[in-house]
Amino acid sequence: MHHILITEEVELFDYTNRKLRIELDATLANRPDELIQRAIGKNALVVRNVTRVDSALVDRLRESTQVRVIGRLGAGLDNIDVPKARQAGLEVVYTPNANTEATAQFVLGQILLVTRRLAEAHRSVVRGQWNRLSFAGRELSELTLGIIGFGRIGSRLADIMSSLGCRVLVTTRRPESVPPPYVAMPLADLFSSADVISVHLPLTEATRGLIGLELLQLMRPHALIVNTSRGDVLREHDLECFLRSRPDAAAVLDVRSEEPPGDRLFCDLPNAYLSPHIAAFTSAAQKQVLSTVLEDVERVLSGATPVWPAP
C-alpha cells in the first residue's frame, strides 16, 4: 500500500483506492518543518496552491522522506519548483483539464453579475426600493470580450461567449493559434478595445505584475476586468487606484497576491467584486481533480507513466 500526505483542505468525497492510504492535515501548508516530519514514511505529497514546494523543501523531501511523487490538485504550478523536483528524482503530476469548465462558467456568471447589475439590484430591493429603470444592463451580444491567455480555460471561455453573441479578442504568445472568428491582437490594443477583459495566465517571471495602471487606463468606459488566474499577474495597488478614479469601471477578483489577503484592499469599493479563489470549486470539478491526481500518483508509485506529468 502507498501512503499519501495531503497538506491542504480537500473534500475526499467517496474516493476509494485500495492501493492508497490517505492522510490529510491542512495545517501543514505553511509549516514546512512539521510537513517534513509528517512526510517521513509517506510515498507521495499532494498539495493545492498554498504549500510552497520550493527548492529547499524538495531537498528535505529527498533527504528525509520516501516521497517519490508530488501531486498538484489544480492546474497552476507556480508553487512547485518542478525542475528542482525532477532533478531530485521526484515526479510531479497535475490536473490541467479538470478545472476548465467550472472556471469558464464562473467567469460567465461574474460577467452577468456585473453587466446586468444584479448585486446592485439585490441591495436596492433589500433597502425597500423598487427602481426598475435604474438597473438597465447590457446584453452579452453588445459586448466585446478580451481574453488574455488562450490555453484550455481561455479557449473554452471564448467558445462559450462567442456562442452567446460576444465578439472575442485574444492576446496570446502564439497568435497564429487563434482560430476565426476570434481576433488576435497585442495586449495594449485589447485593453483599449474590449468591454470585458478576462485574465487566464500562469504566474511566471514574464507575467508577474504584467497588468498595471498604464494598461488599466486604456480600458473603455464601463469596462470590467476579471481575474481568475493568479493574483500577482495584476498590480493590486494600481488596480485599487484605478477603480477609485473610475467608478464606472469594475473588477472581479477571485485570486489575490496573498491568500487569504492580509489587508482590506478593495473591501470598501462598490465596483470590486471579491471571492475566495472559488472559480474551480464545483463538486464535479473537485471530484475530477482529486481522482485525476491520485490516479496519476498511484501510476507513478506502481512504476507506470503518469497521464498528466507537469510540463
Side-chain angles (χ1 to χ4, degrees), residues 14-30:
D14 55 354
Y15 183 84
T16 57
N17 187 322
R18 293 181 181 179
K19 296 181 180 180
L20 302 180
R21 180 178 177 180
I22 298 171
E23 180 179 326
L24 190 156
D25 186 346
T27 70
L28 298 174
N30 292 307

Side-chain angles (χ1 to χ4, degrees), residues 19-211:
K19 296 181 180 180
L20 302 180
R21 180 178 177 180
I22 298 171
E23 180 179 326
L24 190 156
D25 186 346
T27 70
L28 298 174
N30 292 307
R31 298 159 59 206
D33 292 338
E34 290 83 351
L35 187 156
I36 291 297
Q37 289 300 313
R38 293 286 291 278
I40 295 173
K42 305 301 189 299
N43 307 112
L45 175 68
V46 175
V47 305
R48 281 196 186 277
N49 67 309
V50 176
T51 308
R52 307 300 302 179
V53 189
D54 56 16
S55 177
L57 189 68
V58 169
D59 283 338
R60 297 178 70 183
L61 288 170
R62 181 185 59 183
E63 294 166 2
S64 304
T65 77
Q66 291 74 50
V67 168
R68 292 168 46 200
V69 56
I70 299 165
R72 168 66 168 93
L73 295 163
L77 292 164
D78 49 283
N79 60 314
I80 300 175
D81 190 334
V82 176
K84 176 67 176 182
R86 292 259 168 76
Q87 183 183 2
L90 307 182
E91 182 57 274
V92 180
V93 297
Y94 74 137
T95 57
N97 286 333
N99 295 339
T100 299
E101 196 67 29
T103 303
Q105 290 182 18
F106 176 89
V107 174
L108 168 60
Q110 296 295 77
I111 291 172
L112 289 170
L113 173 76
V114 177
T115 59
R116 294 302 305 271
R117 304 182 64 190
L118 301 179
E120 299 163 79
H122 166 75
R123 289 192 292 265
S124 175
V125 172
V126 168
R127 290 193 298 266
Q129 301 168 345
W130 197 261
N131 301 323
R132 295 177 66 197
L133 296 181
S134 299
F135 298 107
R138 292 177 288 173
E139 294 187 14
L140 296 177
S141 59
E142 300 177 68
L143 302 177
T144 296
L145 171 67
I147 298 176
I148 305 173
F150 204 61
R152 293 175 177 86
I153 296 172
S155 58
R156 177 59 181 145
L157 179 64
D159 292 345
I160 292 172
M161 299 302 288
S162 178
S163 73
L164 294 170
C166 273
R167 177 177 178 237
V168 177
L169 314 176
V170 177
T171 294
T172 175
R173 292 177 301 171
R174 297 186 299 114
E176 70 279 0
S177 70
V178 178
Y182 314 139
V183 178
M185 62 177 53
L187 188 60
D189 293 344
L190 181 142
F191 265 84
S192 62
S193 303
D195 301 294
V196 178
I197 296 169
S198 191
V199 185
H200 300 282
L201 294 172
L203 182 62
T204 66
E205 288 308 308
T207 63
R208 188 182 298 274
L210 176 67
I211 299 171

Side-chain angles (χ1 to χ4, degrees), residues 268-283:
D268 66 333
L269 290 173
N271 52 344
Y273 299 82
L274 311 177
S275 53
H277 203 152
I278 57 170
F281 270 63
T282 65
S283 295

